[in-house]
């Protein structure tokens, strides 16, 4: 490789050296729990037992670190397993965390209902309002700022550079959940964040066939080592076949993201003045409040769109249940288009909290199918309202 290969090249080659024994272009999947030792303690390549280290997981971790420009990456069985490991590595009882008021519902549930009883306190805040974030930080007690941009499902854009500056001024670890953008569109570590979190289940895996999560660390080596120890000591690791499927997905990340972005942009522009809609949440539209910030901090606007229906919950529900290509399912980021009704699906766990999603919202995960077919599907469902 050249000294600084382009992202698209890195996505295909980092950590993916051919097998030295056979020349196999694709490194083998190491489906093994343990490794033979050449005499007691005589480890080959440092491998002892797969909870502590496995070559296929290492190959994914090397790839993820290269994609996000981090010092170290750790991969996990799910996005929430990654988040749980980070929270336990970074926080102790009494610590306080500030998170967005529209953070992923599962993240809020984990912090509030799992870490809350262990003494970790949290406040939710409008993350795109920098003054509100500054006010929410309790000096000496707030230890983590949890940023998700674009956010889910309203696609709010938060200023990573400014939030990192605020966080660091208060000695706070700044975490960015980069699941919605993927490293192909947004590089939080380069913008000043300390840790990137991923649900690799979404765009990185990209084919809706494997769950996974990741943590990628910038220069905070102490935190990286604590999380690495927890990954080994508690074992929430990604299994070899899961790691391999995720690597396989990542190789096409850039070309998939290009198509996700262009399809979503075309759909958003097509729907912009539709009478059945009160609003369209897509950062690629100039009318979106975060449009300019997104244009500056991202290299594309992503594949996620939310629609607000003027006919309220009945119209939103009827639409979500009548598209054909857009299949009704939770999750996002796969090659196939999905439709989701957040109030009762992805965000059901935050009903009754300040994170509740309006019941006239439908979220689209725009896939990479032919855009004309996707638009025809949407138009067909809108015509039935
Ligand atoms: C899905 C998701 C998660 C959780 O990841 P899992 O792989 O489902 O555990 C976290 N953050 C965001 C933004 C997500 O979309």
């Amino acid at each position: 490789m050249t000294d600084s290969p382009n992202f698209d090249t890195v996505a295909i080659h980092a950590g993916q050296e051919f097998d030295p024994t056979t020349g196999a272009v694709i490194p083998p999947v190491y489906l093994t729990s343990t490794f033979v030792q050449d005499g007691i303690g005589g480890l080959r390549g440092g491998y002892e037992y797969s909870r502590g280290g496995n070559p296929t997981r290492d190959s994914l971790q090397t790839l993820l670190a290269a994609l996000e420009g981090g010092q170290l990456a750790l991969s996990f069985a799910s996005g929430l397993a990654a988040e749980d490991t980070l929270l336990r590595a970074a926080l102790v009882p009494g610590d306080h965390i500030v998170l967005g008021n529209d953070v992923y519902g599962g993240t809020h549930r984990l912090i509030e209902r799992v870490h809350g009883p262990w003494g970790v306190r949290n406040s939710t805040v409008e993350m795109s309002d920098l003054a509100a974030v500054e006010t929410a930080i309790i000096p000496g007690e707030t230890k983590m700022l949890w940023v998700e941009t674009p956010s889910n499902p309203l696609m709010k854009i938060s200023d990573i550079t400014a939030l990192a500056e605020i966080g660091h001024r208060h000695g706070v670890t700044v975490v960015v959940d980069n699941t919605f953008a993927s490293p192909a569109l947004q590089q939080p570590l380069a913008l000043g964040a300390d840790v990137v979190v991923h649900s690799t289940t979404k765009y990185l895996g990209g084919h809706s066939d494997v769950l996974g999560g990741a943590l990628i660390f910038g220069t905070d080596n102490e935190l990286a080592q604590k999380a690495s120890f927890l990954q080994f000591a508690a074992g929430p690791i990604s299994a070899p076949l899961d790691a391999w499927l995720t690597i396989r997905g990542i190789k096409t990340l850039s070309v998939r993201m290009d198509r996700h972005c262009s399809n979503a942009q075309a759909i958003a522009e097509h729907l912009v003045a539709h009478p059945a809609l009160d609003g369209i949440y897509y950062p690629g539209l100039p009318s979106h409040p975060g449009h300019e910030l997104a244009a500056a901090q991202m290299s594309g606007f992503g594949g996620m769109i939310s629609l607000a229906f003027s006919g309220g919950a009945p119209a939103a529900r009827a639409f979500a249940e009548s598209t054909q290509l857009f299949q009704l399912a939770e999750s996002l980021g796969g090659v196939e288009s999905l439709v989701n009704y957040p109030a009762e699906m992805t965000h059901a766990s935050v009903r009754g909290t300040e994170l509740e999603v309006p019941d006239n919202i439908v979220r689209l995960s725009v896939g990479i199918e032919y855009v004309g077919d996707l638009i025809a599907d949407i138009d067909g469902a809108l015509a039935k309202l």
Side-chain angles (χ1 to χ4, degrees), residues 93-300:
D95 285 349
H96 176 253
I97 169 167
V98 172
L99 61 155
N101 60 11
D102 54 356
V103 79
Y104 174 73
T107 299
H108 182 261
R109 181 175 55 207
L110 175 68
I111 290 171
E112 173 77 16
R113 292 178 55 190
V114 179
H115 288 264
W118 286 94
V120 171
R121 295 166 301 135
N122 75 79
S123 309
T124 54
V125 67
E126 172 59 55
M127 203 48 82
S128 55
D129 178 347
L130 298 176
V133 174
E134 185 102 44
T135 308
I137 292 175
I138 309 169
E141 295 179 31
T142 302
K143 296 291 163 60
M144 187 177 276
L145 187 57
W146 192 284
V147 180
E148 204 180 301
T149 179
S151 74
N152 177 18
L154 298 183
M155 313 301 152
K156 286 185 196 158
I157 306 295
S158 300
D159 187 337
I160 296 173
T161 306
L163 289 167
E165 193 273 317
I166 292 172
H168 293 157
R169 192 148 30 80
H170 293 280
V172 168
T173 299
V174 178
V175 179
V176 174
D177 182 334
N178 203 25
T179 300
F180 266 43
S182 93
L185 303 183
Q186 180 168 274
Q187 301 263 309
L189 297 179
L191 296 171
D194 299 301
V195 188
V196 167
V197 171
H198 274 288
S199 168
T200 62
T201 311
K202 317 294 169 50
Y203 286 107
L204 287 166
H207 296 74
S208 307
D209 53 9
V210 59
L211 271 89
L215 300 175
I216 302 102
F217 297 88
T219 53
D220 188 344
N221 192 48
E222 193 187 331
L223 179 58
Q225 291 312 318
K226 276 190 188 167
S228 180
F229 174 73
L230 253 182
Q231 185 201 38
F232 156 70
I237 49 167
S238 48
L241 196 53
D242 291 359
W244 184 82
L245 280 166
T246 306
I247 292 167
R248 192 184 209 267
I250 287 172
K251 291 176 186 177
T252 56
L253 176 67
S254 285
V255 289
R256 284 187 284 109
M257 291 316 292
D258 283 351
R259 179 66 78 86
H260 284 298
C261 290
S262 64
N263 279 1
Q265 185 76 35
I267 290 169
E269 286 172 8
H270 175 75
L271 293 176
V272 88
H274 200 286
L277 301 176
D278 259 355
I280 302 183
Y281 300 88
Y282 184 64
L285 292 175
S287 56
H288 187 283
H291 175 69
E292 279 175 27
L293 180 56
Q297 90 181 357
M298 303 172 74
S299 59

Side-chain angles (χ1 to χ4, degrees), residues 318-329 336-339 364-365 369 373-382 384:
F319 175 85
E321 290 179 343
S322 60
T323 52
Q324 316 254 300
L325 277 175
F326 282 86
Q327 300 174 95
L328 183 63
E336 66 291 303
S337 293
L338 298 178
V339 58
L364 302 176
S365 173
E369 299 96 334
D373 292 332
L374 296 179
I375 288 175
D377 188 33
I378 291 169
D379 282 349
L382 285 171
K384 283 193 218 142

Side-chain angles (χ1 to χ4, degrees), residues 53-94:
N54 175 283
T56 310
R57 189 166 87 238
D58 282 350
S59 144
L60 171 59
Q61 293 180 160
T62 301
L63 177 57
L64 289 166
L67 290 179
E68 291 283 3
Q71 302 294 320
L72 180 85
L74 302 170
S75 78
F76 296 87
S78 71
L80 285 171
E83 294 183 15
D84 181 56
T85 301
L86 175 62
L87 292 165
R88 286 193 287 149
L91 305 174
V92 294

